[in-house]
Amino acid sequence: QLAASQSLKDRLWKQTIRAKILNQAALLKINNIPAQNMVRWANKVQNGDPANFEGRASAYYWKSLFTDLISKFKRGRFEGEPNNLLNYGYAILRATIARALMVSGLLPTLGCHHSNQYNSYCLADDLMEPYRPFVDQLVLELVRSEEDYADLTPKLKQALLKIPVVDVSINGQTSPLMLAAQQSAACLAKCYAKEKKHLKLPCL
């Protein structure tokens, strides 16, 4: 991991972002929201994503995902609800990914793309990207089913704590997210060791 070249990290980031955008597109399609542009962007991602298709896809995705439920929704850590649910869900996801990385013998501090001396989980922030839409899907279901989600109640927390066991499709099989994360982390370790070229990432 310490000896990984920039070209290797850029290739891994391409695979990660492509999977993230495709999963975002899949969630939009499930909710009858046009996503053909997202698929096109995913297929155009290059090593390191120099054209920032991730950002382009993210802008469209967040503008569209809650459109029939919340007018003028804006994704941001300190923005209005349901960002409180998303933030809590992502924190659970991040911890799940970080654990899987450490079990695989990887240092969560050293990312492929994210880099910040004050962030001890840069690699977790990288690998969790394709898993984010699974959190978004659960939050979307909660927003539709709950009358009040302005406060992060024990009931809402209990629902979000199920994130590690939600069903994920990976490598052609269905698996709980936490086990899928272990597959992704183990495969990432093999990519660093040059034993594999392609990451195992989830499909929504």
Short mmCIF file of all heavy atoms in Angstrom, two decimals, residues 27-34 60-73 82 136-137 139-141 143-145 149:
data_model
loop_
_atom_site.label_atom_id
_atom_site.label_comp_id
_atom_site.label_asym_id
_atom_site.label_seq_id
_atom_site.Cartn_x
_atom_site.Cartn_y
_atom_site.Cartn_z
N LEU A 27 -30.30 3.73 -8.58
CA LEU A 27 -31.27 4.19 -7.59
C LEU A 27 -32.25 5.18 -8.20
O LEU A 27 -33.46 5.14 -7.91
CB LEU A 27 -30.55 4.82 -6.39
CG LEU A 27 -31.45 5.27 -5.23
CD1 LEU A 27 -32.34 4.14 -4.75
CD2 LEU A 27 -30.60 5.81 -4.08
N LEU A 28 -31.77 6.05 -9.07
CA LEU A 28 -32.67 6.98 -9.75
C LEU A 28 -33.67 6.22 -10.62
O LEU A 28 -34.86 6.52 -10.62
CB LEU A 28 -31.87 7.97 -10.61
CG LEU A 28 -31.00 8.99 -9.87
CD1 LEU A 28 -30.32 9.92 -10.87
CD2 LEU A 28 -31.81 9.80 -8.87
N LYS A 29 -33.17 5.21 -11.35
CA LYS A 29 -34.05 4.42 -12.22
C LYS A 29 -35.12 3.70 -11.42
O LYS A 29 -36.28 3.63 -11.84
CB LYS A 29 -33.22 3.40 -13.01
CG LYS A 29 -32.36 4.01 -14.10
CD LYS A 29 -31.54 2.93 -14.79
CE LYS A 29 -30.61 3.50 -15.84
NZ LYS A 29 -29.76 2.45 -16.46
N ILE A 30 -34.74 3.15 -10.25
CA ILE A 30 -35.71 2.47 -9.39
C ILE A 30 -36.85 3.40 -9.02
O ILE A 30 -37.99 2.98 -8.86
CB ILE A 30 -35.00 1.94 -8.11
CG1 ILE A 30 -34.07 0.78 -8.46
CG2 ILE A 30 -36.02 1.50 -7.06
CD1 ILE A 30 -33.16 0.36 -7.32
N ASN A 31 -36.52 4.68 -8.91
CA ASN A 31 -37.51 5.68 -8.51
C ASN A 31 -38.07 6.44 -9.71
O ASN A 31 -38.61 7.55 -9.56
CB ASN A 31 -36.89 6.64 -7.50
CG ASN A 31 -36.64 5.99 -6.16
OD1 ASN A 31 -37.54 5.86 -5.34
ND2 ASN A 31 -35.41 5.53 -5.93
N ASN A 32 -37.94 5.83 -10.90
CA ASN A 32 -38.51 6.39 -12.14
C ASN A 32 -37.99 7.78 -12.47
O ASN A 32 -38.73 8.64 -12.97
CB ASN A 32 -40.04 6.40 -12.05
CG ASN A 32 -40.62 5.01 -11.88
OD1 ASN A 32 -40.25 4.09 -12.61
ND2 ASN A 32 -41.51 4.85 -10.92
N ILE A 33 -36.72 8.00 -12.19
CA ILE A 33 -36.07 9.27 -12.52
C ILE A 33 -35.08 9.01 -13.65
O ILE A 33 -34.27 8.08 -13.55
CB ILE A 33 -35.34 9.86 -11.30
CG1 ILE A 33 -36.34 10.10 -10.15
CG2 ILE A 33 -34.62 11.15 -11.66
CD1 ILE A 33 -35.68 10.45 -8.83
N PRO A 34 -35.12 9.77 -14.73
CA PRO A 34 -34.19 9.55 -15.85
C PRO A 34 -32.73 9.56 -15.40
O PRO A 34 -32.33 10.41 -14.60
CB PRO A 34 -34.49 10.73 -16.78
CG PRO A 34 -35.88 11.13 -16.45
CD PRO A 34 -36.03 10.90 -14.97
N TYR A 60 -26.31 16.30 -10.38
CA TYR A 60 -27.58 15.86 -10.99
C TYR A 60 -28.33 14.92 -10.04
O TYR A 60 -29.55 15.03 -9.86
CB TYR A 60 -27.31 15.15 -12.31
CG TYR A 60 -28.57 14.59 -12.96
CD1 TYR A 60 -29.43 15.42 -13.68
CD2 TYR A 60 -28.91 13.24 -12.82
CE1 TYR A 60 -30.60 14.92 -14.24
CE2 TYR A 60 -30.08 12.73 -13.39
CZ TYR A 60 -30.91 13.58 -14.10
OH TYR A 60 -32.06 13.07 -14.65
N TYR A 61 -27.59 14.02 -9.43
CA TYR A 61 -28.18 13.01 -8.53
C TYR A 61 -28.93 13.66 -7.38
O TYR A 61 -30.09 13.35 -7.11
CB TYR A 61 -27.04 12.13 -8.03
CG TYR A 61 -27.41 11.07 -7.02
CD1 TYR A 61 -28.10 9.92 -7.41
CD2 TYR A 61 -27.02 11.17 -5.68
CE1 TYR A 61 -28.40 8.92 -6.50
CE2 TYR A 61 -27.30 10.19 -4.76
CZ TYR A 61 -28.00 9.06 -5.17
OH TYR A 61 -28.29 8.07 -4.27
N TRP A 62 -28.26 14.59 -6.69
CA TRP A 62 -28.89 15.20 -5.51
C TRP A 62 -29.99 16.17 -5.89
O TRP A 62 -30.93 16.39 -5.11
CB TRP A 62 -27.83 15.89 -4.65
CG TRP A 62 -26.95 14.93 -3.94
CD1 TRP A 62 -25.61 14.77 -4.08
CD2 TRP A 62 -27.36 13.94 -2.98
NE1 TRP A 62 -25.15 13.76 -3.29
CE2 TRP A 62 -26.20 13.22 -2.59
CE3 TRP A 62 -28.58 13.59 -2.42
CZ2 TRP A 62 -26.24 12.19 -1.67
CZ3 TRP A 62 -28.63 12.55 -1.50
CH2 TRP A 62 -27.46 11.86 -1.13
N LYS A 63 -29.92 16.71 -7.09
CA LYS A 63 -30.99 17.58 -7.56
C LYS A 63 -32.26 16.76 -7.87
O LYS A 63 -33.38 17.27 -7.80
CB LYS A 63 -30.53 18.31 -8.83
CG LYS A 63 -31.56 19.27 -9.40
CD LYS A 63 -31.02 19.93 -10.66
CE LYS A 63 -32.06 20.86 -11.28
NZ LYS A 63 -31.56 21.49 -12.52
N SER A 64 -32.05 15.47 -8.19
CA SER A 64 -33.15 14.63 -8.66
C SER A 64 -33.72 13.68 -7.62
O SER A 64 -34.92 13.36 -7.66
CB SER A 64 -32.67 13.80 -9.86
OG SER A 64 -32.10 14.61 -10.86
N LEU A 65 -32.90 13.19 -6.69
CA LEU A 65 -33.29 12.06 -5.84
C LEU A 65 -34.53 12.33 -4.98
O LEU A 65 -35.43 11.51 -4.91
CB LEU A 65 -32.12 11.64 -4.95
CG LEU A 65 -32.35 10.38 -4.12
CD1 LEU A 65 -32.63 9.17 -5.00
CD2 LEU A 65 -31.14 10.10 -3.22
N PHE A 66 -34.57 13.49 -4.33
CA PHE A 66 -35.68 13.79 -3.43
C PHE A 66 -36.69 14.76 -4.06
O PHE A 66 -37.51 15.34 -3.36
CB PHE A 66 -35.15 14.41 -2.13
CG PHE A 66 -34.36 13.45 -1.28
CD1 PHE A 66 -32.98 13.52 -1.24
CD2 PHE A 66 -34.99 12.49 -0.51
CE1 PHE A 66 -32.24 12.64 -0.47
CE2 PHE A 66 -34.26 11.61 0.29
CZ PHE A 66 -32.89 11.68 0.30
N THR A 67 -36.62 14.90 -5.37
CA THR A 67 -37.40 15.94 -6.05
C THR A 67 -38.90 15.86 -5.81
O THR A 67 -39.59 16.87 -5.73
CB THR A 67 -37.10 15.91 -7.56
OG1 THR A 67 -37.72 17.03 -8.18
CG2 THR A 67 -37.60 14.63 -8.21
N ASP A 68 -39.44 14.63 -5.66
CA ASP A 68 -40.89 14.49 -5.47
C ASP A 68 -41.30 14.56 -4.00
O ASP A 68 -42.48 14.51 -3.67
CB ASP A 68 -41.38 13.16 -6.08
CG ASP A 68 -40.78 11.95 -5.38
OD1 ASP A 68 -39.65 12.06 -4.87
OD2 ASP A 68 -41.44 10.89 -5.36
N LEU A 69 -40.31 14.71 -3.11
CA LEU A 69 -40.61 14.72 -1.68
C LEU A 69 -40.24 16.05 -1.00
O LEU A 69 -40.93 16.49 -0.09
CB LEU A 69 -39.83 13.59 -0.98
CG LEU A 69 -40.15 12.16 -1.43
CD1 LEU A 69 -39.13 11.20 -0.86
CD2 LEU A 69 -41.55 11.77 -1.00
N ILE A 70 -39.13 16.63 -1.45
CA ILE A 70 -38.60 17.82 -0.80
C ILE A 70 -38.22 18.84 -1.87
O ILE A 70 -37.39 18.56 -2.73
CB ILE A 70 -37.34 17.50 0.05
CG1 ILE A 70 -37.67 16.41 1.07
CG2 ILE A 70 -36.82 18.74 0.75
CD1 ILE A 70 -36.45 15.77 1.68
N SER A 71 -38.83 20.00 -1.82
CA SER A 71 -38.49 21.03 -2.80
C SER A 71 -37.16 21.68 -2.45
O SER A 71 -36.87 21.95 -1.29
CB SER A 71 -39.58 22.10 -2.86
OG SER A 71 -39.72 22.75 -1.61
N LYS A 72 -36.34 21.86 -3.46
CA LYS A 72 -35.04 22.53 -3.33
C LYS A 72 -34.14 21.85 -2.29
O LYS A 72 -33.48 22.51 -1.49
CB LYS A 72 -35.24 24.00 -2.96
CG LYS A 72 -35.99 24.79 -4.04
CD LYS A 72 -36.13 26.25 -3.66
CE LYS A 72 -36.86 27.02 -4.74
NZ LYS A 72 -37.06 28.45 -4.38
N PHE A 73 -34.13 20.52 -2.31
CA PHE A 73 -33.23 19.81 -1.40
C PHE A 73 -31.78 20.12 -1.76
O PHE A 73 -31.41 20.19 -2.93
CB PHE A 73 -33.44 18.30 -1.49
CG PHE A 73 -32.39 17.51 -0.75
CD1 PHE A 73 -32.44 17.39 0.63
CD2 PHE A 73 -31.34 16.91 -1.43
CE1 PHE A 73 -31.46 16.68 1.32
CE2 PHE A 73 -30.35 16.19 -0.75
CZ PHE A 73 -30.42 16.08 0.63
N PRO A 82 -33.41 15.81 4.97
CA PRO A 82 -32.93 14.62 5.68
C PRO A 82 -31.41 14.45 5.70
O PRO A 82 -30.91 13.33 5.77
CB PRO A 82 -33.59 13.48 4.91
CG PRO A 82 -33.59 13.97 3.49
CD PRO A 82 -33.84 15.45 3.59
N ASP A 136 -28.43 5.94 0.81
CA ASP A 136 -29.41 6.87 0.24
C ASP A 136 -30.76 6.18 0.04
O ASP A 136 -31.82 6.77 0.28
CB ASP A 136 -28.91 7.39 -1.11
CG ASP A 136 -27.54 8.05 -1.02
OD1 ASP A 136 -27.15 8.45 0.10
OD2 ASP A 136 -26.87 8.17 -2.06
N GLN A 137 -30.71 4.94 -0.40
CA GLN A 137 -31.94 4.18 -0.63
C GLN A 137 -32.72 4.00 0.66
O GLN A 137 -33.94 4.19 0.70
CB GLN A 137 -31.59 2.81 -1.23
CG GLN A 137 -32.80 1.97 -1.59
CD GLN A 137 -32.40 0.64 -2.22
OE1 GLN A 137 -31.39 0.04 -1.83
NE2 GLN A 137 -33.15 0.19 -3.21
N VAL A 139 -32.50 5.86 3.40
CA VAL A 139 -32.97 7.18 3.84
C VAL A 139 -34.21 7.60 3.05
O VAL A 139 -35.17 8.13 3.61
CB VAL A 139 -31.85 8.23 3.71
CG1 VAL A 139 -32.42 9.64 3.92
CG2 VAL A 139 -30.74 7.96 4.73
N LEU A 140 -34.18 7.33 1.76
CA LEU A 140 -35.34 7.66 0.92
C LEU A 140 -36.59 6.92 1.40
O LEU A 140 -37.68 7.50 1.47
CB LEU A 140 -35.03 7.29 -0.53
CG LEU A 140 -35.98 7.79 -1.62
CD1 LEU A 140 -36.05 9.30 -1.63
CD2 LEU A 140 -35.52 7.28 -2.98
N GLU A 141 -36.42 5.67 1.77
CA GLU A 141 -37.55 4.88 2.28
C GLU A 141 -38.05 5.46 3.61
O GLU A 141 -39.27 5.51 3.85
CB GLU A 141 -37.12 3.43 2.48
CG GLU A 141 -36.85 2.69 1.17
CD GLU A 141 -36.19 1.33 1.38
OE1 GLU A 141 -35.95 0.97 2.56
OE2 GLU A 141 -35.91 0.64 0.39
N VAL A 143 -37.78 8.60 4.64
CA VAL A 143 -38.43 9.88 4.37
C VAL A 143 -39.87 9.66 3.88
O VAL A 143 -40.78 10.41 4.24
CB VAL A 143 -37.63 10.69 3.33
CG1 VAL A 143 -38.41 11.90 2.83
CG2 VAL A 143 -36.30 11.15 3.93
N ARG A 144 -40.05 8.64 3.09
CA ARG A 144 -41.39 8.35 2.57
C ARG A 144 -42.33 7.75 3.62
O ARG A 144 -43.53 7.90 3.53
CB ARG A 144 -41.27 7.39 1.38
CG ARG A 144 -40.79 8.08 0.12
CD ARG A 144 -40.66 7.10 -1.02
NE ARG A 144 -40.34 7.80 -2.26
CZ ARG A 144 -39.67 7.27 -3.27
NH1 ARG A 144 -39.26 6.02 -3.20
NH2 ARG A 144 -39.43 7.97 -4.36
N SER A 145 -41.75 7.09 4.61
CA SER A 145 -42.58 6.38 5.59
C SER A 145 -42.79 7.14 6.89
O SER A 145 -43.75 6.88 7.62
CB SER A 145 -41.97 5.01 5.91
OG SER A 145 -40.70 5.17 6.53
N TYR A 149 -39.01 13.58 10.42
CA TYR A 149 -37.62 13.11 10.47
C TYR A 149 -36.66 14.28 10.72
O TYR A 149 -35.47 14.19 10.43
CB TYR A 149 -37.25 12.38 9.17
CG TYR A 149 -37.64 13.12 7.91
CD1 TYR A 149 -36.81 14.09 7.36
CD2 TYR A 149 -38.85 12.86 7.29
CE1 TYR A 149 -37.17 14.78 6.21
CE2 TYR A 149 -39.23 13.55 6.14
CZ TYR A 149 -38.38 14.51 5.61
OH TYR A 149 -38.75 15.18 4.48
#
